[in-house]
PDB file of all heavy atoms in Angstrom:
ATOM      1  N   ARG B  67     144.176 106.778  31.327  1.00 92.00           N
ATOM      2  CA  ARG B  67     144.412 105.957  30.136  1.00 92.00           C
ATOM      3  C   ARG B  67     144.933 104.592  30.571  1.00 92.00           C
ATOM      4  O   ARG B  67     145.997 104.506  31.185  1.00 92.00           O
ATOM      5  CB  ARG B  67     145.421 106.657  29.221  1.00 92.00           C
ATOM      6  CG  ARG B  67     144.875 107.938  28.576  1.00 92.00           C
ATOM      7  CD  ARG B  67     145.983 108.897  28.245  1.00 92.00           C
ATOM      8  NE  ARG B  67     146.755 109.220  29.459  1.00 92.00           N
ATOM      9  CZ  ARG B  67     147.975 109.758  29.439  1.00 92.00           C
ATOM     10  NH1 ARG B  67     148.572 110.000  28.304  1.00 92.00           N
ATOM     11  NH2 ARG B  67     148.593 110.042  30.572  1.00 92.00           N
ATOM     12  N   HIS B  68     144.206 103.576  30.286  1.00 92.00           N
ATOM     13  CA  HIS B  68     144.526 102.240  30.801  1.00 92.00           C
ATOM     14  C   HIS B  68     145.922 101.779  30.396  1.00 92.00           C
ATOM     15  O   HIS B  68     146.670 101.248  31.223  1.00 92.00           O
ATOM     16  CB  HIS B  68     143.492 101.223  30.324  1.00 92.00           C
ATOM     17  CG  HIS B  68     142.149 101.416  30.954  1.00 92.00           C
ATOM     18  ND1 HIS B  68     141.200 100.433  31.016  1.00 92.00           N
ATOM     19  CD2 HIS B  68     141.592 102.484  31.568  1.00 92.00           C
ATOM     20  CE1 HIS B  68     140.115 100.886  31.620  1.00 92.00           C
ATOM     21  NE2 HIS B  68     140.326 102.137  31.965  1.00 92.00           N
ATOM     22  N   SER B  69     146.264 101.978  29.107  1.00 91.00           N
ATOM     23  CA  SER B  69     147.551 101.452  28.629  1.00 91.00           C
ATOM     24  C   SER B  69     148.723 102.070  29.376  1.00 91.00           C
ATOM     25  O   SER B  69     149.680 101.390  29.734  1.00 91.00           O
ATOM     26  CB  SER B  69     147.706 101.749  27.136  1.00 91.00           C
ATOM     27  OG  SER B  69     146.586 101.311  26.443  1.00 91.00           O
ATOM     28  N   VAL B  70     148.639 103.360  29.636  1.00 90.00           N
ATOM     29  CA  VAL B  70     149.754 104.066  30.247  1.00 90.00           C
ATOM     30  C   VAL B  70     149.647 104.069  31.763  1.00 90.00           C
ATOM     31  O   VAL B  70     150.628 103.837  32.479  1.00 90.00           O
ATOM     32  CB  VAL B  70     149.787 105.534  29.753  1.00 90.00           C
ATOM     33  CG1 VAL B  70     151.057 106.221  30.207  1.00 90.00           C
ATOM     34  CG2 VAL B  70     149.625 105.584  28.246  1.00 90.00           C
ATOM     35  N   ASP B  71     148.439 104.350  32.251  1.00 90.00           N
ATOM     36  CA  ASP B  71     148.280 104.608  33.680  1.00 90.00           C
ATOM     37  C   ASP B  71     148.052 103.353  34.507  1.00 90.00           C
ATOM     38  O   ASP B  71     148.273 103.357  35.718  1.00 90.00           O
ATOM     39  CB  ASP B  71     147.107 105.570  33.902  1.00 90.00           C
ATOM     40  CG  ASP B  71     147.349 106.924  33.241  1.00 90.00           C
ATOM     41  OD1 ASP B  71     148.526 107.318  33.168  1.00 90.00           O
ATOM     42  OD2 ASP B  71     146.376 107.568  32.802  1.00 90.00           O
ATOM     43  N   LEU B  72     147.572 102.287  33.884  1.00 93.00           N
ATOM     44  CA  LEU B  72     147.227 101.104  34.681  1.00 93.00           C
ATOM     45  C   LEU B  72     148.088  99.884  34.355  1.00 93.00           C
ATOM     46  O   LEU B  72     148.735  99.325  35.237  1.00 93.00           O
ATOM     47  CB  LEU B  72     145.747 100.746  34.480  1.00 93.00           C
ATOM     48  CG  LEU B  72     144.729 101.779  34.973  1.00 93.00           C
ATOM     49  CD1 LEU B  72     143.311 101.293  34.686  1.00 93.00           C
ATOM     50  CD2 LEU B  72     144.890 102.037  36.462  1.00 93.00           C
ATOM     51  N   ILE B  73     148.081  99.479  33.103  1.00 93.00           N
ATOM     52  CA  ILE B  73     148.724  98.210  32.757  1.00 93.00           C
ATOM     53  C   ILE B  73     150.213  98.241  33.087  1.00 93.00           C
ATOM     54  O   ILE B  73     150.924  99.191  32.754  1.00 93.00           O
ATOM     55  CB  ILE B  73     148.490  97.880  31.264  1.00 93.00           C
ATOM     56  CG1 ILE B  73     146.995  97.608  31.045  1.00 93.00           C
ATOM     57  CG2 ILE B  73     149.311  96.674  30.814  1.00 93.00           C
ATOM     58  CD1 ILE B  73     146.584  97.487  29.607  1.00 93.00           C
ATOM     59  N   GLY B  74     150.637  97.210  33.798  1.00 93.00           N
ATOM     60  CA  GLY B  74     152.046  97.101  34.159  1.00 93.00           C
ATOM     61  C   GLY B  74     152.398  97.755  35.484  1.00 93.00           C
ATOM     62  O   GLY B  74     153.489  97.559  36.004  1.00 93.00           O
ATOM     63  N   ARG B  75     151.487  98.535  36.038  1.00 93.00           N
ATOM     64  CA  ARG B  75     151.771  99.156  37.329  1.00 93.00           C
ATOM     65  C   ARG B  75     151.341  98.220  38.461  1.00 93.00           C
ATOM     66  O   ARG B  75     150.429  97.415  38.283  1.00 93.00           O
ATOM     67  CB  ARG B  75     150.963 100.445  37.466  1.00 93.00           C
ATOM     68  CG  ARG B  75     151.388 101.507  36.487  1.00 93.00           C
ATOM     69  CD  ARG B  75     151.249 102.825  37.171  1.00 93.00           C
ATOM     70  NE  ARG B  75     151.421 103.933  36.263  1.00 93.00           N
ATOM     71  CZ  ARG B  75     151.745 105.148  36.709  1.00 93.00           C
ATOM     72  NH1 ARG B  75     151.895 105.358  37.996  1.00 93.00           N
ATOM     73  NH2 ARG B  75     151.892 106.125  35.857  1.00 93.00           N
ATOM     74  N   PRO B  76     151.967  98.370  39.617  1.00 94.00           N
ATOM     75  CA  PRO B  76     151.525  97.529  40.725  1.00 94.00           C
ATOM     76  C   PRO B  76     150.176  97.997  41.290  1.00 94.00           C
ATOM     77  O   PRO B  76     149.884  99.190  41.292  1.00 94.00           O
ATOM     78  CB  PRO B  76     152.621  97.703  41.784  1.00 94.00           C
ATOM     79  CG  PRO B  76     153.553  98.718  41.290  1.00 94.00           C
ATOM     80  CD  PRO B  76     153.123  99.194  39.948  1.00 94.00           C
ATOM     81  N   PHE B  77     149.385  97.053  41.748  1.00 95.00           N
ATOM     82  CA  PHE B  77     148.182  97.398  42.500  1.00 95.00           C
ATOM     83  C   PHE B  77     148.589  98.175  43.745  1.00 95.00           C
ATOM     84  O   PHE B  77     149.616  97.900  44.363  1.00 95.00           O
ATOM     85  CB  PHE B  77     147.428  96.128  42.918  1.00 95.00           C
ATOM     86  CG  PHE B  77     146.619  95.516  41.808  1.00 95.00           C
ATOM     87  CD1 PHE B  77     147.051  94.365  41.177  1.00 95.00           C
ATOM     88  CD2 PHE B  77     145.429  96.104  41.404  1.00 95.00           C
ATOM     89  CE1 PHE B  77     146.300  93.793  40.157  1.00 95.00           C
ATOM     90  CE2 PHE B  77     144.660  95.536  40.387  1.00 95.00           C
ATOM     91  CZ  PHE B  77     145.100  94.384  39.757  1.00 95.00           C
ATOM     92  N   GLY B  78     147.782  99.148  44.106  1.00 94.00           N
ATOM     93  CA  GLY B  78     148.122  99.973  45.257  1.00 94.00           C
ATOM     94  C   GLY B  78     148.840 101.243  44.856  1.00 94.00           C
ATOM     95  O   GLY B  78     149.166 102.073  45.694  1.00 94.00           O
TER      96      GLY B  78
END
Side-chain angles (χ1 to χ4, degrees):
Chain B
R67 292 153 303 162
H68 290 201
S69 308
V70 189
D71 298 329
L72 296 179
I73 293 171
R75 294 215 189 201
F77 282 105

